[in-house]
């Protein structure tokens, strides 16, 4: 019995010491947790200090034999208070972050936290009741019987343990600071983008992660937070592109992205279906979905669906077209996910799926000047003298990939005297070169040309006559584009290209229903 009591005391002391130290190391988080659980703002600050100090005091009292009983009583009282606060929050339909171990570990308050507190409370009551008269040996009594080498080993081990704990704490602070810097940089880039400035013109796109666009999307069947079974076909039933967002409640960048996801689901419901696939236990996923008022949250406890889509990091996202094809590479990280969503919900050209959008036939084509690969600016008016077909292109688009070889073959077999392709790329030089087009290349970093011709997606094309006037509606879809390109007297072809990572997907990729 004496050994059992000692082990229980040491275990409780370790738990309370870690909890108290973790809260003191993150007083801002502890203060927020106090407010979330209903404490008045004026008391939240003092509570953020008093509670961890009380936990440390309980840990200290549990170890000596003479004070162990009072430490056990204090532990039972604190655990009862914590459990009451969690129970009251759950009764009100809320699941705030418990912040139980400060920076080391935190999770939404729920039945799991109550069960843990109940188990620890039972241990504390056992120590207080069974060990009231004899709580077992002093936790430090063994130190007195150590000889010289034993004492030296104790000192060295203690110093190493303190150094390890300090190093771990410092690493945690550095990682948290790094995360805050990344979030601030993303906000700065977002503000600059809204002001018409771009920082990514010379940057390469993201690596080609996941399945090649154009391949069949892996099927799945998962349970959502409401207990209903949801399949891939269910999500594609509305006929809109589907964005699968792979997250985890334990992922910090995912948590930072969740309010934005809620906004996306509300604002883009007519253009894009957004489903959150969360790789965690059902309880944590439900708590996060309730906290952020998320819709279509699927529970992927074993991360089988994430693995099937080769989304090995969180947050990550991929677009699936209504015809069950992978329509983008896996976008990893908040920045690329935001770009993927912006492209997926881009406004289509007037006329949409029937391919009758774009500028009025006979209207003069917009006057544009774009740089080539060596920096020389080229006027599009220089292309006059023969018909021109402008093709808006995206290497990350599944339908573009399906027509790529035909397009290259058309260039190789074009009749003698044809000027050939003029590629107008909105991305970096390397990504455009990888497409293998052999003709002149112009750069369109902000997709200025595509917007000027009212083309809202890829692949889409429009013809310009020899006098520089618009000669056709905008054709949408691979088959319609190839038909336009392969018309009699093959026209000069200018390709508006979005390399992977710059613009990965648009609803118009599937507007025509063709490949």
């Amino acid at each position: 019995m004496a050994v059992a009591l000692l082990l229980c005391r040491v275990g409780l002391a370790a738990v309370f010491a870690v909890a108290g130290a973790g809260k003191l190391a993150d007083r801002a988080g502890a203060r927020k947790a106090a407010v979330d659980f209903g404490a008045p703002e004026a008391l939240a600050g003092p509570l953020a200090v008093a509670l961890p100090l009380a936990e440390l005091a309980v840990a200290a009292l549990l170890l000596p034999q003479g004070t162990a009983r009072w430490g056990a009583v204090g532990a039972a009282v604190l655990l009862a208070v914590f459990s009451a606060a969690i129970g009251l929050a759950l009764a009100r339909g809320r699941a705030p972050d418990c912040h139980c171990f400060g920076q080391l570990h935190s999770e939404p308050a729920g039945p799991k936290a109550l069960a843990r507190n109940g188990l620890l409370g039972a241990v504390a009551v056992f120590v207080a009741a069974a060990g009231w008269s004899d709580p077992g040996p002093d936790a430090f009594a063994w130190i007195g019987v150590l000889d010289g080498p034993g004492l030296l080993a104790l000192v060295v081990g203690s110093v190493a343990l303190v150094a390890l704990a300090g190093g771990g704490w410092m690493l945690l602070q550095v990682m948290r600071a790094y995360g805050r810097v990344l979030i601030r940089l993303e906000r700065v880039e977002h503000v600059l983008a809204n002001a018409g400035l771009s920082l990514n013109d010379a940057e390469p796109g993201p690596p080609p992660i996941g399945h090649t666009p154009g391949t069949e999307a892996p099927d799945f069947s998962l349970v959502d937070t409401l207990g209903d079974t949801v399949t891939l076909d269910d999500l594609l039933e509305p006929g809109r592109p589907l964005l699968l967002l792979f997250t985890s409640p334990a992922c910090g960048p995912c948590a930072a992205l969740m309010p934005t996801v809620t906004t996306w689901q509300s604002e883009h419901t007519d253009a894009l279906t957004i489903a959150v696939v969360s790789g965690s236990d059902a309880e944590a996923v439900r708590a996060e979905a309730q906290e952020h008022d998320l819709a279509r949250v699927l529970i992927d406890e074993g991360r089988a669906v994430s693995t099937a889509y080769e989304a090995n990091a969180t947050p990550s996202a991929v677009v699936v077209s209504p015809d069950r094809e992978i329509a983008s590479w896996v976008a990893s990280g908040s920045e690329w996910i935001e770009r993927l969503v912006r492209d997926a919900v881009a406004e289509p050209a007037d006329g949409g799926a029937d391919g009758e959008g774009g500028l009025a036939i006979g209207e003069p084509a917009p006057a544009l000047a774009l740089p080539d690969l060596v920096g020389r600016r080229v006027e599009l008016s220089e292309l006059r003298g023969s018909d021109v077909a402008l093709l808006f292109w995206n290497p990350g688009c599944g339908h573009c990939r399906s027509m790529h070889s035909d397009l290259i073959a058309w260039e190789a077999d074009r009749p003698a005297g044809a000027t050939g392709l003029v590629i107008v790329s909105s991305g970096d030089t390397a990504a455009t070169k990888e497409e293998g087009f052999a003709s002149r290349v112009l750069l369109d970093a902000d997709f200025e040309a595509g917007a000027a011709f009212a083309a809202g997606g890829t692949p889409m094309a429009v013809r310009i006559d020899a006098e520089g006037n618009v000669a056709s509606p905008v054709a949408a879809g691979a088959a319609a584009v190839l038909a336009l390109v392969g018309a009699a007297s093959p026209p000069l072809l200018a390709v508006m290209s979005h390399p992977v990572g710059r613009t990965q997907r648009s609803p118009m990729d599937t507007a025509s229903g063709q490949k």
Side-chain angles (χ1 to χ4, degrees), residues 77 337 415:
V77 171
I337 293 172

Side-chain angles (χ1 to χ4, degrees), residues 327-402:
S328 74
W329 298 107
V330 172
S332 183
S334 300
E335 178 184 356
W336 296 116
I337 293 172
E338 289 175 4
R339 295 186 183 191
L340 185 61
V341 171
R342 284 202 301 269
D343 183 55
V345 301
E347 287 294 333
D350 295 339
D354 59 8
E356 295 298 324
L359 304 179
I361 295 178
E363 178 180 349
L368 297 170
L370 301 172
D372 62 15
L373 292 178
V374 297
R376 189 180 74 86
R377 296 191 68 80
V378 177
E379 300 280 347
L380 290 189
S381 59
E382 295 179 24
L383 306 178
R384 291 180 182 176
S386 62
D387 285 352
V388 178
L390 303 181
L391 171 59
F392 302 91
W393 183 267
N394 179 350
C397 156
H399 294 290
C400 293
R401 297 259 58 81
S402 70

Side-chain angles (χ1 to χ4, degrees), residues 2 64 198 211 220 224 234 241 258 304 315 381 389-390 447 452 468-469 509:
S198 175
H211 298 286
F220 61 81
D224 64 13
D234 293 333
M258 286 302 104
S381 59
L390 303 181
F447 197 46
N469 299 319
D509 289 347

